[in-house]
């Protein structure tokens, strides 16, 4: 059984009389450790699919089984517990809490898990060091650049050691140079811990980091293929199939 | 989420909007002050009332009136025939009632029955003085204190007299005419009290039974003859006290009182005379809170009862109405404060929609979010309650020192001038704190429910 199995997934939004088929019939299997890119034009249903994989929205029809659990059928509380234990999130607009320092922002998922302040600060510090923001621990989000904020966001997504990380256009607000930095960081972290990453983008440049590219058009999978030429930033050359980053 | 983290989060959120939090808290402070001060005024009124009643008589006492024709207590048209007798048997029954500690029966000798004289040849005369037959041995226990002399003691007290404080002033000087033949107790210019015509402790006193068949022209009566005359010894004059019955009257031995009544009936050929009953029995109950129960038992048996406690109850009822009105006014201001809390919390939800969404996406339990919101609302209530309590103490102190009259008149509050007009007991403090916290929680209930219903997706959608 694959790590993520999606069968017959459909999502219909009702706008008065009108029905919007955001997702028509999605069948998808994603393996553990895979970096999967969901590619598509605006309005093709990428975000809808991601949100449903993350259990933020209930499908109209179909099953989503992650790690053997059908998350479409979980209660609100069990879903929260599932997110605590399995998922991390990276958002396009970072979504850090403005009043909290980066350290506190990174520690938040651990706080919801019921960790003590001391334990989560220790973990958050490690994470911030790993994303290269050791010197920005006491800073608030508005005291940092977009790239720095997104790195805090990445630290937050990975701090609780999730099984899968969801990222919806994580570089949508960043310039090209920073985009590369951020993508490399995410890929590196996933590879290090053999995590599954589901990446939503409309940018082919970003898709090149993925092992696999799922192309969505109008709520249906148009193509689903392995990336023949995974761009591995750590060997600094295209086409290297080796997934072990050089340390 | 740990409770500690929720508290920190709650405090941080309140602190984040200091100004708004403060204004909301001020609303609660005002409501809380209003309630505490109003209730404290009620407490002050109750205390003043108790003081006043205590000065009128003993709060632990119940008086049972007999079927004397001079006492009209109760419904007025009740026939004395169907009233239970106030005899030895009744006395015994009352003595054995639960909570009854002491009984003090009295026999009233009709003021028509006897004439009391004092001095040589009966110069000083009291024609209509009240005489009560009592149990001398219980005088001390009843709280009667001799001003002169001592409690009657010894084997033979049958012909012993105790003067009420102003009883001697009831005697007329038969050698004087008109106004001059009367006297009364009054304060003289030099600050001392006026004296009666004679000193009851040294002058000899006699009682004779009236022959009412042949009244004198002025309505007084002649003695029934030598067999109906008694020479008395005075044991004591009592201090001024609050028993209005005994201040102007004489006390004699219970048995002697019966003898007088029987002799009178014999002398004047009263038909179908019965054995004299007690005219009054006074009961002392162990605790003021049991007075009501004992009184109810007795009045259910048909006795005419009266007590300060029952008066207190009816007065409390009246005060209760005043207090209710004050309390309602105060409650309105707290209601306004509660609406303020709800409003503040709803506003803060709008501001924090995104934050709540992020929390949900990151795996925060809905119950935790609800608790944080309820805590914030409850904290506003508690804070307002605590500050309000402190301010109430200040207001209360100011009112109590600034003088009773001003405030009392302003609010139409009953006060006796001696007790504080505002009293804040500890239970009121605890009640106020608990109440304002609960008000806060209730006000936060709806906003908290809205907060948890915020869709995570909606909240984190890219703007
Ligand atoms: N809450 C909603 N109510 C109604 N229709 C919706 C809702 N959310 C999405 N849709 C519709 O579903 C379709 C897919 O939306 P989705 O957000 O998944 O697109 P997307 O691929 O993420 O686009 P973008 O690249 O612009 O983010 C769109 O046509 C959109 O209008
Ligand atoms: Mg999208």
């Amino acid at each position: 059984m694959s790590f993520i199995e999606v069968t017959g997934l459909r999502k219909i939004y009702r706008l008065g009389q009108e029905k919007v088929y955001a997702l028509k019939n999605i069948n998808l299997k994603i393996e553990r450790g895979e970096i999967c890119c969901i590619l598509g034009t605006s309005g093709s249903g990428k975000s809808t699919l991601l949100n449903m994989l993350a259990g933020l929205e209930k499908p109209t029809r179909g099953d989503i089984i992650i790690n053997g659990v059908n998350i479409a059928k979980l209660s609100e509380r069990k879903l929260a517990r599932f997110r605590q234990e399995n998922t991390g999130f990276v958002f396009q607009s970072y979504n850090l809490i403005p009043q909290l320092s980066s350290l506190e922002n990174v520690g938040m998922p651990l706080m919801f898990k019921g960790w003590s302040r001391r334990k989560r600060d220790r973990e958050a510090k490690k994470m911030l060091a790993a994303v290269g923001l050791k010197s920005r621990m006491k800073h608030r989000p508005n005291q940092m650049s977009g790239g720095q904020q997104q790195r805090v966001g990445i630290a937050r997504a990975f701090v609780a050691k999730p099984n899968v990380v969801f990222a919806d256009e994580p570089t949508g607000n960043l310039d090209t140079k920073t985009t590369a930095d951020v993508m490399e960081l995410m890929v590196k972290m996933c590879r290090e811990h053999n995590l599954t990453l589901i990446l939503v983008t409309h940018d082919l440049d970003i898709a090149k980091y993925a092992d696999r590219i799922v192309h969505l058009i109008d709520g249906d999978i148009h193509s689903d293929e392995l990336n023949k030429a995974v761009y591995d930033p750590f060997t600094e050359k295209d086409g290297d199939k080796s997934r072990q980053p050089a340390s | 989420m740990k409770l500690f983290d929720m508290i920190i989060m709650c405090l941080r959120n309140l602190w984040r909007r200091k100004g708004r939090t403060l204004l909301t808290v001020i609303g609660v402070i005002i409501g809380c002050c209003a309630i505490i001060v109003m209730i404290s005024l009620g407490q002050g009124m109750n205390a003043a009332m108790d003081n006043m009643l205590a000065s009128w008589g003993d709060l632990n006492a119940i008086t049972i009136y007999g079927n004397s024709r001079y006492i009209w207590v109760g419904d007025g048209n009740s026939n004395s025939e169907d009233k239970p007798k106030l005899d030895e048997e009744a006395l015994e029954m009352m003595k054995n009632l639960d909570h009854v500690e002491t009984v003090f029966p009295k026999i009233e000798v009709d003021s028509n029955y006897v004439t009391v004289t004092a001095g040589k040849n009966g110069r000083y005369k009291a024609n209509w003085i009240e005489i009560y037959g009592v149990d001398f041995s219980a005088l001390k226990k009843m709280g009667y204190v001799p001003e002169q002399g001592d409690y009657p003691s010894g084997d033979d007290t049958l012909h012993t007299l105790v003067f009420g404080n102003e009883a001697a002033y009831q005697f007329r000087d038969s050698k004087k005419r008109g106004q001059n033949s009367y006297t009364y107790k009054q304060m003289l210019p030099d600050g001392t009290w006026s004296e009666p015509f004679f000193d009851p402790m040294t002058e000899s006193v006699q009682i004779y039974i009236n022959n009412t068949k042949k009244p004198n022209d002025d309505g007084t009566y002649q003695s029934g003859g030598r067999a109906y005359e008694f020479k008395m010894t005075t044991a004591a004059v009592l201090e001024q006290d609050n028993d209005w019955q005994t201040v102007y009257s004489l006390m004699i031995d219970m048995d002697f009182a019966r003898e007088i009544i029987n002799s009178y009936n014999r002398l004047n050929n009263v038909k179908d005379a019965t054995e004299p009953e007690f005219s009054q029995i006074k009961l002392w109950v162990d605790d003021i809170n049991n007075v009501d129960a004992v009184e109810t038992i007795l009045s259910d048996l048909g006795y005419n009862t009266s007590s300060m406690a029952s008066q207190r109850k009816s007065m409390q009822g009246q005060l209760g109405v005043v207090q209710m009105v004050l309390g309602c006014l105060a409650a309105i201001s707290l209601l306004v404060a509660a609406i303020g809390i709800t409003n503040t919390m709803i506003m803060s939800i709008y501001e924090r929609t995104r934050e709540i969404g992020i929390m949900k996406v990151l795996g925060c339990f809905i119950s935790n979010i609800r608790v944080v919101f309820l805590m914030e609302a409850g904290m506003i209530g508690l804070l307002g309650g605590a500050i309000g309590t402190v301010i109430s103490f200040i207001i209360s102190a100011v009112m109590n020192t600034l003088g009773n009259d001003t405030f009392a008149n302003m609010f139409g509050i009953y006060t006796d001038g001696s007790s504080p007009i505002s009293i804040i007991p500890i239970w009121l403090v605890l009640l106020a704190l608990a109440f304002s916290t609960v008000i806060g929680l209730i006000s936060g209930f709806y906003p908290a429910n809205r907060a948890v219903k915020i869709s995570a997706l909606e909240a984190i959608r890219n703007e």
Side-chain angles (χ1 to χ4, degrees):
Chain A
M1 195 177 192
S2 303
F3 180 59
I4 298 177
E5 285 192 11
V6 178
T7 44
L9 187 67
R10 167 175 290 194
K11 181 70 186 178
I12 303 172
Y13 290 110
R14 263 169 233 281
L15 293 172
Q17 296 291 344
E18 212 181 327
K19 284 184 181 174
V20 180
Y21 284 76
L23 295 175
K24 288 171 185 161
N25 183 22
I26 304 285
N27 295 288
L28 195 62
K29 285 187 178 156
I30 299 170
E31 301 304 325
R32 188 182 287 272
E34 209 168 16
I35 295 181
C36 176
C37 175
I38 298 171
L39 189 70
T41 53
S42 183
S44 55
K46 309 182 293 291
S47 298
T48 309
L49 177 57
L50 185 89
N51 291 337
M52 245 158 331
L53 288 175
L56 298 178
E57 235 177 332
K58 295 269 179 221
T60 309
R61 182 195 291 171
D63 291 317
I64 301 162
I65 295 166
I66 300 181
N67 217 358
V69 182
N70 189 346
I71 63 162
K73 298 222 160 69
L74 287 183
S75 69
E76 188 101 48
R77 187 177 175 84
K78 288 211 175 112
L79 209 50
R81 171 73 73 200
F82 175 83
R83 280 192 208 119
Q84 287 176 7
E85 282 163 1
N86 291 289
T87 68
F89 259 93
V90 182
F91 306 91
Q92 176 178 354
S93 44
Y94 326 129
N95 278 336
L96 303 175
I97 308 282
Q99 291 79 26
L100 302 183
S101 68
S102 7
L103 191 69
E104 289 165 321
N105 263 299
V106 173
M108 260 183 44
L110 300 177
M111 177 167 82
F112 299 146
K113 281 177 100 164
W115 287 32
S116 73
R117 167 122 209 176
R118 211 164 40 82
K119 266 176 81 184
R120 60 181 200 252
D121 276 1
R122 200 176 52 212
E123 213 57 34
K125 270 180 197 161
K126 267 197 241 164
M127 265 346 264
L128 280 170
V131 301
L133 289 176
K134 219 172 176 170
S135 58
R136 296 284 189 281
M137 284 192 301
K138 294 274 172 292
H139 288 230
R140 299 261 175 95
N142 60 4
Q143 296 162 334
M144 289 184 289
S145 72
Q148 286 170 334
Q149 288 185 54
Q150 193 58 303
R151 281 196 273 166
V152 174
I154 291 168
R156 183 177 66 183
F158 285 87
V159 75
K161 310 231 169 356
N163 288 312
V164 52
V165 172
F166 299 99
D168 193 346
E169 313 238 17
T171 58
N173 292 358
L174 303 175
D175 63 34
T176 332
K177 169 73 177 71
T178 324
T179 297
D181 288 348
V182 164
M183 282 314 299
E184 284 165 21
L185 182 63
M186 271 204 299
V187 169
K188 174 176 168 245
M189 297 226 177
C190 285
R191 299 278 189 238
E192 264 174 19
H193 300 103
N194 194 31
L195 304 184
T196 311
L197 174 67
I198 299 186
L199 181 69
V200 162
T201 185
H202 56 259
D203 188 349
L204 266 169
D205 272 351
I206 288 171
K208 72 185 183 190
Y209 289 91
D211 301 325
R212 177 174 166 197
I213 298 168
V214 175
H215 199 154
L216 279 192
I217 295 179
D218 286 344
D220 263 326
I221 295 179
H222 175 258
S223 68
D224 177 357
E225 49 204 23
L226 287 180
N227 186 1
K228 299 282 173 345
V230 177
Y231 173 71
D232 192 330
F234 306 101
T235 57
E236 291 295 330
K237 63 181 175 184
D238 285 14
D240 193 328
K241 291 272 163 49
S242 158
R243 286 181 185 174
Q244 285 308 308
S247 42
Chain B
M1 234 175 137
K2 283 209 176 343
L3 181 66
F4 177 76
D5 287 321
M6 290 194 271
I7 293 172
I8 294 291
M9 187 178 278
C10 146
L11 292 180
R12 199 197 305 258
N13 286 332
L14 289 176
W15 188 247
R16 200 200 294 177
R17 292 262 171 270
K18 291 180 269 304
R20 198 174 60 197
T21 303
L22 185 70
L23 290 176
T24 317
V25 169
I26 287 175
V28 181
I29 292 175
I30 293 172
C32 185
C33 278
I35 288 209
I36 294 184
V37 170
M38 291 303 176
I39 295 181
S40 82
L41 290 177
Q43 291 299 305
M45 284 188 232
N46 283 343
M49 184 188 72
D50 278 355
N51 272 357
M52 182 187 73
L53 287 176
S55 75
W56 286 356
D58 198 323
L59 286 171
N60 281 23
I62 302 173
T63 310
I64 297 104
Y65 296 103
N67 302 317
S68 157
R69 57 200 146 107
Y70 291 109
I71 314 275
W72 23 273
V73 187
D75 44 18
N77 55 18
S78 64
N79 193 337
S80 71
E81 297 297 300
D82 45 56
K83 290 279 177 195
K85 280 186 172 169
L86 214 55
D87 52 13
E88 288 289 350
E89 202 180 318
L91 182 68
E92 199 58 33
M93 178 275 289
M94 292 175 195
K95 226 185 242 173
N96 292 328
L97 281 178
D98 280 348
H99 305 300
V100 172
E101 283 191 327
T102 318
V103 294
F104 186 60
K106 265 187 207 168
I107 291 184
E108 182 189 353
V109 177
D110 195 313
S111 58
N112 231 18
Y113 286 15
V114 290
T115 303
V116 187
T117 62
K120 218 176 263 171
N121 302 322
R123 174 175 172 179
Y124 309 106
K125 264 190 177 173
N127 293 95
W128 289 283
I129 193 164
E130 302 274 352
I131 299 181
Y132 292 101
V134 298
D135 178 3
F136 278 148
S137 62
L139 280 185
K140 187 171 186 176
K141 218 167 161 188
M142 294 301 87
Y144 294 112
V145 183
E147 192 175 66
Q148 302 169 56
D150 202 352
Y151 296 108
S153 59
D155 299 335
D156 185 18
T157 54
L158 194 63
H159 293 155
T160 302
L161 262 184
V162 170
F163 270 70
N165 187 271
E166 299 188 29
Y169 296 87
Q170 310 301 310
F171 287 73
R172 245 170 6 94
D173 186 347
S174 58
K175 293 236 168 99
K176 291 182 178 161
R177 294 273 153 247
Q179 280 288 309
N180 291 339
S181 65
Y182 295 96
T183 184
Y184 52 94
K185 191 173 182 178
Q186 63 176 336
M187 181 80 81
L188 299 175
D190 64 357
T192 59
W193 293 103
S194 60
E195 294 285 339
F197 290 127
F198 64 100
D199 178 2
M201 293 304 294
T202 52
E203 209 69 63
S204 65
V205 180
Q206 300 86 37
I207 293 178
Y208 69 75
I209 296 175
N210 291 334
N211 181 349
T212 47
K213 287 176 291 189
K214 283 184 274 170
N216 297 332
D217 293 341
D218 58 358
T220 61
Y221 300 105
Q222 294 293 326
S223 161
R226 281 204 86 64
Y228 296 97
E229 286 169 13
F230 308 93
K231 202 166 151 25
M232 308 298 292
T233 16
T234 305
V237 178
L238 296 177
E239 272 185 3
Q240 187 84 42
D241 58 26
N242 53 33
D243 186 344
W244 52 271
Q245 272 190 344
T246 48
V247 165
Y248 305 104
S249 51
L250 303 175
M251 285 195 231
I252 56 172
D253 192 279
M254 184 83 73
D255 292 334
F256 185 43
R258 288 201 180 97
E259 188 185 322
I260 287 178
I261 294 169
N262 288 333
S263 300
Y264 173 85
N265 289 340
R266 216 176 317 119
L267 171 66
N268 293 290
N269 306 325
V270 177
K271 299 273 183 292
D272 51 72
T274 52
E275 189 59 22
E277 288 176 26
F278 299 116
S279 54
Q280 192 192 69
I281 297 177
K282 209 165 177 183
L283 301 181
W284 265 259
V285 177
D286 54 2
D287 188 285
I288 187 164
N289 294 317
N290 295 326
V291 171
D292 197 37
V294 174
E295 191 172 0
T296 308
I297 294 175
L298 293 173
S299 61
D300 283 352
L301 287 173
Y303 293 105
N304 289 322
T305 63
S306 147
S307 70
M308 282 300 151
S310 60
Q311 298 231 21
R312 179 169 176 251
K313 216 165 141 189
S314 78
M315 285 177 72
Q316 259 174 346
Q318 291 166 19
L319 284 186
V321 174
V322 178
Q323 289 168 21
M324 278 280 274
V325 172
L326 293 179
C328 284
L329 288 177
I332 289 173
S333 59
L334 202 57
L335 181 72
V336 173
I339 294 171
I341 296 179
T342 306
N343 192 27
T344 297
M345 295 308 293
I346 288 177
M347 279 179 52
S348 103
I349 285 174
Y350 283 127
E351 283 164 11
R352 278 149 67 187
T353 302
R354 195 173 192 83
E355 182 184 321
I356 293 163
I358 297 168
M359 286 169 68
K360 280 184 162 181
V361 174
L362 296 184
C364 184
F365 289 122
I366 280 187
S367 52
N368 290 160
I369 298 176
R370 178 179 274 124
V371 169
V372 169
F373 268 84
L374 283 178
M375 254 191 221
E376 284 175 34
M379 191 70 82
I380 291 177
L382 179 63
L383 214 61
I387 301 175
T389 304
V390 172
I391 295 180
S392 300
F393 270 105
I394 297 172
I395 296 176
S396 165
V398 168
M399 288 201 298
N400 287 340
T401 44
L402 266 195
N404 297 317
D405 298 338
T406 335
F407 281 100
N409 289 340
M410 212 156 89
F411 293 109
I413 290 164
Y414 169 75
T415 169
D416 68 350
S418 64
S419 58
I421 57 170
S422 161
I423 297 171
I424 304 180
I426 183 75
W427 63 258
L428 182 53
V429 173
L430 298 178
L431 188 83
L433 289 179
F435 193 55
S436 41
T437 309
V438 168
I439 288 278
L441 289 176
I442 292 173
S443 313
F445 191 74
Y446 168 70
N449 266 350
R450 277 186 59 159
V452 302
K453 286 208 185 90
I454 285 175
S455 148
L457 264 191
E458 217 58 59
I460 61 168
R461 178 153 288 156
N462 297 330
E463 59 265 26

